[in-house]
Amino acid sequence: MKIEVTDLLKDSFGRAIRDLRVSLTDRCNFRCFYCLPHGEPPIAPKSEMLSYEEIEYACDIFVSLGIEKIRLTGGEPMMRRDIETIIRKLSALKPRLHDLALTTNGYFLPGRAAELKAAGLDRVTISLDSLKRGVFKEMTGVDVLERVLEGIQAAKHAGLTPIKINAVIVRGHNDEEVADFAAFAREHDLQMRFIEFMPLDSGHEWSREMVVSGREMRQRIEERFPLVPLKVPRGSETSSRYRFADNARGEIGIIAPVTEPFCGACSRIRLTADGQIRTCLFSTVEHSLRDCLRSGATRAEIIEYIESVVMKKEPRHYINDPNFAQPARTMSFIGG
Ligand code: SAM
């Protein structure tokens, strides 16, 4: 059945919602100290998780409402066995869906990147917090730097490009490596994304002193490689983007939600693996699309529900307010 774009999702502040992040699982094979240091709490029964058919149906509705970009995430989304099926189903939503991307820790990419591409995935973002084996192990809890580097090469060979690399920069851990990452981006023609540490860790160890600001990251890069801001409208993008002044390959993006919030242009909503809609990374309430889908609601009723949830999207996050409350669920549940 051909579904027309019926209406465009807008929140109560007039922000158009175009970007959906879908978490495929809460499970993860890494133990990043800034996310899930003590491992997963008991995993919810499979029946509470959205099936691939439910994900496909929900995404079809979201795309009919104007969602243009879908990013699959988690937990570690490649731990979900039916990921290729999900990608194949979502890929059928193109060209109304403009962009189908995946955020992964890269561990499973060697040997599987080509399958993802064949299923219809456009591109990947790979997390990489250190180029030094010891620091990588200390930050992620696993000693697999070489394998992730292989994963990056596998993604490149499979054509899952442009490849973005996410590094969460945390004071006292990897802040000395910022310029090395820039050199890595130049050498391998990658889009480096430096992310400020956000208070979304299950260990509740976040402190302001551990945050390396976007401004400091940029200074550290420019001490070695002068940058020029890219002349592209920022729109709803999370990062400020730069090219290298000497026209080397690669790109730098700085994501500074703590020190330079960009909520006013936010176009994102999230769907958790158990089917909850989150209208902000820092939401303290969730809305059960799963219950709505399973209640026998008609497509029109589901659309009405989604529209009503989007109207509740928060104006901004409150990280910098004195009474900020960290959300109960961490990034691995919310879907980063
Ligand atoms: N497992 C996949 C991965 O490693 O990329 C996808 C999920 S992970 C939660 C998505 C992104 O969120 C990663 O790039 C990760 O570094 C980032 N992230 C997790 N916790 C964070 C935090 N407290 N502050 C900033 N970024 C965080």
Side-chain angles (χ1 to χ4, degrees), residues 28 34-35 73-77 103-105 127 129 166 168 195-198 200-201 331-332 336:
C28 191
Y34 54 76
C35 185
T73 179
E76 173 44 49
T103 301
T104 173
N105 60 33
S127 298
D129 292 320
N166 275 355
V168 180
I195 309 176
E196 286 181 350
F197 180 26
M198 293 182 274
L200 289 169
D201 55 316
M331 198 69 143
S332 62

Side-chain angles (χ1 to χ4, degrees), residues 125-287:
T125 296
I126 301 169
S127 298
L128 177 68
D129 292 320
S130 178
L131 297 164
K132 297 179 184 161
R133 182 175 166 188
V135 179
F136 183 96
K137 181 171 177 226
E138 178 254 328
M139 290 187 73
T140 61
V142 283
D143 188 8
V144 296
L145 172 62
E146 277 307 314
R147 174 128 176 188
V148 173
L149 294 175
E150 271 173 46
I152 295 172
Q153 288 312 321
K156 210 172 198 183
H157 287 138
L160 290 167
T161 50
I163 297 174
K164 287 187 191 163
I165 304 293
N166 275 355
V168 180
I169 303 300
V170 187
R171 174 103 43 225
H173 293 266
N174 58 355
D175 48 327
E176 299 297 333
E177 284 188 70
V178 172
D180 295 342
F181 272 121
F184 182 73
R186 291 162 64 92
E187 187 184 341
H188 298 282
D189 193 12
L190 299 165
Q191 300 191 345
M192 224 21 248
R193 293 290 180 261
F194 296 98
I195 309 176
E196 286 181 350
F197 180 26
M198 293 182 274
L200 289 169
D201 55 316
S202 68
H204 289 246
E205 276 159 24
W206 182 88
S207 71
R208 208 158 279 279
E209 294 67 47
M210 293 169 91
V211 177
V212 179
S213 71
R215 176 194 283 252
E216 180 180 335
M217 296 183 207
R218 184 175 162 183
Q219 274 165 0
R220 282 178 182 258
I221 298 168
E222 295 220 68
E223 281 164 15
R224 222 192 290 173
F225 306 112
L227 298 174
V228 177
L230 277 182
K231 284 202 184 78
V232 285
R234 170 129 182 206
S236 60
E237 273 206 55
T238 50
S239 59
S240 331
R241 294 167 59 190
Y242 304 88
R243 65 173 175 81
F244 293 103
D246 63 359
N247 288 321
R249 299 179 310 168
E251 187 192 296
I252 298 296
I254 294 181
I255 304 179
V258 180
T259 64
E260 298 167 52
F262 37 82
C263 307
C266 183
S267 64
R268 280 167 289 284
I269 51 170
R270 292 178 154 79
L271 184 60
T272 64
D274 58 357
Q276 309 300 307
I277 299 179
R278 294 181 64 98
T279 48
C280 171
L281 259 185
F282 296 95
S283 292
T284 48
V285 282
E286 299 181 337
H287 309 271

